[in-house]
Amino acid sequence: MKFLKIKDFFDNLEFKLTLKQLKSSEELVDVVFILNEEKIYARVKTDTRPQHIPIFESMLQDYNPFLVVSDYITPNAKKLLKNKGINYIDGFGNAFLNLNTLKLYVEQGNAKPIYNTHSDVFTQAGGQIIFQLLQNPENINLTQRKLAEISNVSLGSVSKIINGLFNEGFTVKWNSDKKYQLVKREELLDKWIILVNEKILPAHKIGQFSFSKQGHFMIRETDSNYETKWGRESGAALGGESGAAILTNYLNPEKYSLFTNRSKTDLIKNYRLIPDDNGEITAYQLFWQPGTSSFDFESNLTVHPLLIYAELMYSGNDRNIETAQIIYNEYIKPKL
């Protein structure tokens, strides 16, 4: 079936091409085939976004030439793939092919995202619960009331989402006590990155701001005034590029994500922020219960690394994605 999809996509290009599938025992690639007498290794996806690019880039070392075949590829992902010399083709007839036997670049600007028409899991409330589960997979066995409390969702939505996770294969019952286990965590994280950026953050956005001269700070400051103002018991913590700079000391942030339980008026007054639609600071209300995370702002300057990672990967910025990989390897991968 995957080879037939590849053939259909190449047929959309309206070139006379010869394709022949090869038998393969390769684990990391989906299809190996011959294109105009050249052997190609292909990975087939429904949806390709910037967070997938590091995986493809690492595969280039063992599988070359490598081809990404995807129903939909976001504009940022296409740009990254092309810049890194990774071949791709999508279901809309767009392609970048830098092969020995074929040089081709087609961009028609006609690609549209492909959405799941219905899911009990990948909703705003579902994303807030998944955030808690990815931090600590054992949270899947909390009482529904407790899970609702720490996720800032209604009690009625928890049962629906937990059942949805089970029906979609992300949880399994693993003993006679009817305990659940969270599985396919990498895939769940992949989907959550999209969910948090496209549904959760927009729903919790307080506003856009810029710094006043009195309110501006350098991200690498560590004096007590900085800590008092932007962390500890201040009711605010940094995410995105600014949070990543604190965690890794690898990034000079251009944009700042501020997560807080304060009101917009309070932010303007106490943080000396200026409302500005083009400002470098985006402020969000918390979508979790304070005190439920080891990286909560009550004891840290940043939000949980999962949230920082999700913002960086979704940005599509090369430097951000490099930094996200550092955060993933140090803070996220060991717990997945």
Side-chain angles (χ1 to χ4, degrees):
M1 291 296 291
K2 290 182 177 179
F3 177 72
L4 291 177
K5 175 181 281 192
I6 292 172
K7 187 176 184 307
D8 287 342
F9 285 9
F10 274 107
D11 286 344
N12 287 341
L13 296 177
E14 298 180 353
F15 287 92
K16 290 184 178 180
L17 301 170
T18 302
L19 282 80
K20 179 182 178 182
Q21 185 174 8
L22 299 178
K23 290 183 179 180
S24 173
S25 59
E26 301 288 352
E27 294 182 0
L28 296 180
V29 294
D30 296 312
V31 179
V32 181
F33 65 98
I34 300 291
L35 173 66
N36 287 2
E37 300 183 356
E38 185 172 4
K39 188 177 182 179
I40 310 292
Y41 300 92
R43 190 75 175 267
V44 180
K45 293 183 66 65
T46 300
D47 187 274
T48 298
R49 295 174 180 268
Q51 63 262 29
H52 303 129
I53 308 305
I55 299 171
F56 301 147
E57 192 172 14
S58 67
M59 294 177 69
L60 277 176
Q61 300 174 16
D62 299 313
Y63 304 103
N64 197 359
F66 179 72
L67 172 69
V68 176
V69 181
S70 185
D71 293 284
Y72 172 66
I73 308 174
T74 69
N76 278 340
K78 287 180 183 178
K79 181 179 177 181
L80 286 169
L81 288 168
K82 187 171 181 289
N83 288 344
K84 294 178 182 298
I86 301 174
N87 302 290
Y88 69 78
I89 184 169
D90 70 16
F92 299 86
N94 303 297
F96 168 72
L97 299 169
N98 186 21
L99 306 170
N100 291 330
T101 59
L102 180 63
K103 310 289 184 184
L104 180 67
Y105 177 56
V106 179
E107 179 53 58
Q108 304 178 75
N110 58 346
K112 301 293 181 184
I114 297 168
Y115 294 104
N116 189 347
T117 55
H118 176 75
S119 172
D120 290 333
V121 175
F122 300 108
T123 62
Q124 180 187 324
Q128 292 177 210
I129 290 174
I130 292 169
F131 181 47
Q132 298 297 328
L133 301 182
L134 289 173
Q135 290 182 58
N136 181 7
E138 290 301 315
N139 283 344
I140 191 69
N141 291 304
L142 292 176
T143 65
Q144 291 189 8
R145 185 172 298 278
K146 183 62 177 178
L147 196 51
E149 178 187 337
I150 66 175
S151 305
N152 276 5
V153 300
S154 68
L155 180 60
S157 64
V158 177
S159 177
K160 184 177 181 180
I161 291 161
I162 296 299
N163 288 335
L165 285 167
F166 182 78
N167 293 333
E168 296 191 30
F170 292 103
T171 61
V172 294
K173 290 181 181 178
W174 64 284
N175 66 19
S176 57
D177 294 330
K178 296 183 179 179
K179 293 282 188 178
Y180 285 97
Q181 185 176 21
L182 195 68
V183 296
K184 298 196 302 185
R185 298 174 192 175
E186 292 275 5
E187 182 180 343
L188 192 61
L189 172 61
D190 195 39
K191 292 178 179 294
W192 183 75
I193 290 172
I194 301 168
L195 190 58
V196 71
N197 282 283
E198 295 186 0
K199 291 188 178 181
I200 298 176
L201 293 185
H204 289 83
K205 184 176 177 179
I206 297 171
Q208 204 87 7
F209 303 89
S210 58
F211 291 111
S212 66
K213 291 182 179 179
Q214 295 83 3
H216 184 66
F217 66 92
M218 293 300 290
I219 196 63
R220 290 195 174 90
E221 289 181 15
T222 56
D223 59 71
S224 58
N225 289 332
Y226 169 73
E227 292 191 357
T228 300
K229 185 173 183 180
W230 294 98
R232 307 303 175 187
E233 298 179 357
S234 67
L238 294 165
E241 295 179 18
S242 46
I246 293 172
L247 289 185
T248 67
N249 199 31
Y250 185 70
L251 192 67
N252 292 318
E254 297 179 355
K255 297 179 181 179
Y256 299 79
S257 294
L258 181 66
F259 292 84
T260 181
N261 57 6
R262 293 177 178 267
S263 67
K264 184 174 183 178
T265 301
D266 200 12
L267 287 176
I268 294 171
K269 178 181 178 181
N270 290 295
Y271 290 79
R272 297 180 180 177
L273 301 181
I274 301 170
D276 180 356
D277 290 340
N278 298 310
E280 65 271 43
I281 310 163
T282 307
Y284 302 97
Q285 283 289 344
L286 304 185
F287 56 88
W288 65 91
Q289 188 67 27
T292 60
S293 167
S294 60
F295 274 83
D296 198 77
F297 62 72
E298 290 184 353
S299 58
N300 292 276
L301 300 177
T302 75
V303 295
H304 195 281
L306 275 166
L307 184 51
I308 296 172
Y309 173 76
E311 289 187 89
L312 295 181
M313 291 300 289
Y314 191 81
S315 72
N317 177 281
D318 277 353
R319 183 72 168 177
N320 284 357
I321 291 175
E322 288 178 17
T323 309
Q325 286 301 117
I326 295 172
I327 292 172
Y328 176 82
N329 292 333
E330 183 171 351
Y331 295 99
I332 300 172
K333 186 177 181 179
K335 297 183 179 181
L336 279 183

